[in-house]
Amino acid sequence: MSDERRGEDVPGEDLPGEDEFRSGFVCFVGRPNTGKSTLTNALVGDKIAITSNRPQTTRHTIRGIVNLPAAQLVLVDTPGLHRPRTLLGKRLNELVLDTLSEVDIICLCIPADEAIGPGDKWIIEQIRPLEKRTKVVGIVTKLDKVGPGKVAQQLMALSELLGPAAEVIPVSAKSGKQLDVLTDLLVSACEPGPAFYPDGELTDEPEEVLMAEFIREAALEGVRDELPHSLAVTIEEVIEREDSDPPMVDVHALLYVERDSQKGIIIGHRGARLKEVGTVARQQIEKLLGCRVYLDLHVKVAKDWQRDPKQLGRLGF
């Protein structure tokens, strides 16, 4: 991404100065549920990626844009890399690896409160071939969850795995601790180059993708472990009401699950759960669109969609 997009005539590229504008594409990678989306939102300063304590919440590569006086960072939040068990899992991994091959900086996220395990080492193996042309930074996330001694141990363990060339840094997206240090580190690792997006823009994700993600996030809250992998959301229609004052938009969405039992979980007793999902998601969508929203939700069973190539394609994977 870096060479093609920067062009050939960047002034001062051979002798970068302190006051030159810098830009770059930064990818957060790690196991599912290591705080990548929370970190993306914290650095951008607004919610552009959904978060959950359930693994594999992120299903798309989400671009968040950090605008600074002398730099622009384009953050690419990815699904968690994992050993896939379904066709969906395989496609999500391919999406991540394709993204990694195109960015300027790869940030490996390891939570401070979990021991480094085989999954983390497997991810590092996927990154190794890219290290010759892509900078790698190790990030110990969730700094607020453990004491200083545990953080120091995790930093040392991560540094040992990545090697002496990679910088490692602890951060807490929740409290904001060390976020400014991480930003400075990422900017210094970028090369001189132009801003890729207009100042003030926070993401290049289409509104319909973000709306679907907000609905899925609301539906994932407080549900059983099986459901996160089996839930997909599509926006079927967005209609702006004519002559509405104040402005109002109708959003019609479908929530797909794989079994009737999962449909029951989403809908809840007499529809109470689905109504709650709609209320929470609508508030996020209204903030996104800047107007009142009528949100119409329906739940549909698409049997074993994670393993069916045709259904995966229809659902956008």
Side-chain angles (χ1 to χ4, degrees), residues 54 59 220 223-231 258-259 261-263 265 306:
R54 301 294 182 185
R59 288 269 178 80
L220 287 176
V223 298
R224 294 204 288 266
D225 293 340
E226 61 176 287
L227 194 56
H229 309 281
S230 306
L231 179 65
E258 292 188 307
R259 294 187 292 280
S261 60
Q262 295 169 341
K263 183 176 180 179
I265 293 170
Q306 292 184 83

Side-chain angles (χ1 to χ4, degrees), residues 5-289:
R5 298 199 183 204
R6 293 187 196 287
E8 296 178 356
D9 300 317
V10 178
E13 192 163 13
D14 294 331
L15 294 168
E18 289 293 319
D19 57 347
E20 285 181 291
F21 195 91
R22 292 173 179 267
S23 59
F25 286 77
V26 181
C27 183
F28 292 127
V29 67
R31 286 183 288 107
N33 200 28
T34 54
K36 301 180 296 297
S37 297
T38 306
L39 184 56
T40 298
N41 290 337
L43 288 169
V44 171
D46 205 348
K47 183 167 186 169
I48 56 103
I50 71 172
T51 60
S52 170
N53 59 1
R54 301 294 182 185
Q56 284 184 259
T57 303
T58 303
R59 288 269 178 80
H60 304 272
T61 53
I62 307 289
R63 285 183 179 172
I65 302 156
V66 181
N67 294 294
L68 302 164
Q72 186 179 81
L73 300 172
V74 183
L75 310 180
V76 188
D77 180 31
T78 60
L81 263 176
H82 61 291
R83 296 181 188 274
R85 292 180 295 177
T86 64
L87 181 57
L88 172 64
K90 184 172 181 289
R91 290 190 177 177
L92 292 179
N93 270 6
E94 289 170 352
L95 180 67
V96 177
L97 294 173
D98 284 347
T99 303
L100 291 179
S101 68
E102 296 181 342
V103 298
D104 303 303
I105 305 166
I106 296 172
C107 293
L108 173 63
C109 296
I110 304 283
D113 60 339
E114 296 176 27
I116 294 174
D120 302 304
K121 293 172 183 176
W122 180 79
I123 292 171
I124 291 171
E125 288 173 14
Q126 314 308 305
I127 294 173
R128 289 287 181 220
L130 305 171
E131 285 182 318
K132 288 183 179 177
R133 56 186 178 81
T134 308
K135 292 163 185 168
V136 176
V137 174
I139 302 178
V140 173
T141 60
K142 306 184 183 183
L143 173 59
D144 52 287
K145 288 198 168 187
V146 298
K150 179 61 179 174
V151 173
Q153 288 177 10
Q154 199 78 320
L155 286 169
M156 289 174 63
L158 182 54
S159 181
E160 202 171 300
L161 279 175
L162 291 177
E167 296 205 50
V168 295
I169 181 172
V171 302
S172 169
K174 186 176 179 181
S175 70
K177 191 172 184 180
Q178 291 275 105
L179 287 182
D180 55 342
V181 179
L182 175 60
T183 301
D184 290 345
L185 174 60
L186 295 177
V187 169
S188 68
C190 291
E191 296 177 9
F196 298 112
Y197 296 94
D199 190 25
E201 196 164 325
L202 300 181
T203 182
D204 65 352
E205 279 297 302
E207 286 180 342
E208 289 192 6
V209 171
L210 290 174
M211 285 190 278
E213 290 289 87
F214 290 152
I215 294 166
R216 194 161 65 88
E217 178 184 45
L220 287 176
E221 277 305 306
V223 298
R224 294 204 288 266
D225 293 340
E226 61 176 287
L227 194 56
H229 309 281
S230 306
L231 179 65
V233 179
T234 60
I235 303 297
E236 299 298 298
E237 204 170 19
V238 179
I239 305 168
E240 190 172 340
R241 292 193 185 182
E242 293 183 12
D243 304 322
S244 177
D245 187 21
M248 190 166 185
V249 171
D250 294 338
V251 177
H252 300 270
L254 277 175
L255 290 79
Y256 288 90
V257 292
E258 292 188 307
R259 294 187 292 280
D260 285 325
S261 60
Q262 295 169 341
K263 183 176 180 179
I265 293 170
I266 293 291
I267 294 174
H269 182 61
R270 295 185 177 179
R273 180 97 187 34
L274 187 62
K275 184 177 180 181
E276 183 183 339
V277 169
T279 299
V280 173
R282 178 177 52 77
Q283 291 170 352
Q284 295 286 347
I285 294 170
E286 286 182 337
K287 184 180 177 185
L288 172 71
L289 300 182

